[in-house]
Each structure stands twice: as C-alpha cells, then as structure tokens.
Amino acid sequence: FYKNTFLREFKQVPGMKELFHACKSKYDNNCSIHYVSASPYQLFEELSNFFTTAGFPSATYHLKRIRVKDKTLLQLFADPEDYKIRQITPILNTYPLRKFILIGDSGEKDPEVYKELIRRYPNQIEKIWIRNVNGANATRMEGVDPGRWRFFSDGYDLMDEVV
C-alpha cells in the first residue's frame, strides 16, 4: 500500500476508463462514480489530475483526512476495512433507491468490505467486481451469491457485464 501510494507513479488499469464510460452510457449518464480510498486526502490533487488526464469520468472522492499536527496522522495506519465501511455506508444511505456496483482489488480488504456491505445492503448492491492482484481465491467472498461477484484482471474482462 505505502509503496503504491507514495513512491510509485499512478498507473491506469487497462480497460477501466472504457468500463466506467460504458457504465455511464448504459445508464444514460444516470451513473455516479465514487472513488473511495484509504489514501490520504493530501493525494486528492494528484489523484484527481491523474483520473482527469487519463480520461476517466468525473467522480466524487472519499479519502482519509489526516493532519501531521494531530492524532489523525495515526489514521494513515488504521484498518482499511473499518475505514472503507464507514465511508461507503453514508453513500448507500444517502441514495437508498440507487443500485451500486462495488469495484475494488484483492490487495487489502476490499473483498471483506464489500462482502459485509452486500450483507447489509443486499437490495442496493447489484454486483461486486474485484481485481485480483495477488492470486486471491473465492474463499474471500464466501457466502456471497456467485452470480453477484467476480474477479477480473482488467476492465476489458468486465465489458460483457455492461454492454
């Protein structure tokens, strides 16, 4: 996480920009994108510039708010599972009639977060798509209907779901 967040250049996952645009088209632009990350808010400008320059659709950003001057700095090391659930839950509660597709990766806790959220919000969460970055297996999604989630390698793997 820390190497990817602070040391490496951001890299676009092949096909994700096209996937997000396909989702927007499929739903007649009645599709909102919310980027939820355990990255610190101080990276907002870099992330926003990266997504804009790469041609991704506009989105809201939900990042960790930390300050070097107080104890919020410790949030940088807090459990990403708890953080993401606390960030995504208000979005789901704000839009109770909206359907959601949760997209994440297997690198940290996204499968566990999304598994818990689909348990709590089964009527709102349509699909869960997990980019498998570390050879994760299906046990991380145990208990979730196999028709409602899948692993993928790049955005092109998911195009059949939206076109």
Side-chain angles (χ1 to χ4, degrees):
F1 166 78
Y2 300 106
K3 276 190 218 173
N4 288 336
T5 301
F6 297 111
L7 302 177
R8 295 184 180 146
E9 291 290 318
F10 297 131
K11 287 187 195 172
Q12 188 177 158
V13 175
M16 291 307 290
K17 170 181 68 177
E18 293 81 2
L19 177 72
F20 285 16
H21 281 289
C23 286
K24 299 256 318 160
S25 293
K26 179 177 181 173
Y27 299 105
D28 299 320
N29 289 320
N30 191 18
C31 170
S32 297
I33 297 172
H34 307 273
Y35 296 124
V36 178
S37 172
S39 296
Y41 197 79
Q42 286 79 350
L43 291 179
F44 167 75
E45 190 173 341
E46 279 190 65
L47 287 168
S48 178
N49 288 340
F50 170 77
F51 284 118
T52 300
T53 302
F56 280 80
S58 61
T60 62
Y61 292 80
H62 308 267
L63 307 172
K64 276 189 179 176
R65 294 194 181 270
I66 61 165
R67 291 176 32 145
V68 177
K69 297 179 179 184
D70 62 31
K71 67 181 179 179
T72 60
L73 180 61
L74 299 175
Q75 289 300 310
L76 191 56
F77 308 102
D79 180 17
E81 184 173 354
D82 177 61
Y83 169 79
K84 283 193 174 182
I85 288 173
R86 286 187 290 111
Q87 294 302 306
I88 297 170
T89 296
I91 298 169
L92 294 165
N93 289 336
T94 299
Y95 304 103
L97 302 177
R98 195 178 278 179
K99 301 294 183 184
F100 289 82
I101 299 170
L102 304 180
I103 304 171
D105 66 54
S106 61
E108 287 193 23
K109 299 282 190 160
D110 289 353
E112 291 76 16
V113 168
Y114 297 169
K115 180 176 163 178
E116 176 59 24
L117 289 169
I118 201 169
R119 185 188 68 73
R120 293 183 193 180
Y121 299 91
N123 297 322
Q124 280 183 267
I125 298 173
E126 292 265 320
K127 300 276 184 183
I128 297 172
W129 298 335
I130 302 290
R131 181 167 174 249
N132 198 344
V133 297
N134 57 5
N137 62 47
T139 59
R140 291 187 68 186
M141 294 301 290
E142 193 172 351
V144 178
D145 176 353
R148 296 186 67 188
W149 78 274
R150 69 188 266 196
F151 284 129
F152 70 97
S153 296
D154 62 39
Y156 299 115
D157 293 346
L158 300 169
M159 291 302 272
D160 62 317
E161 299 259 1
V162 293
V163 291

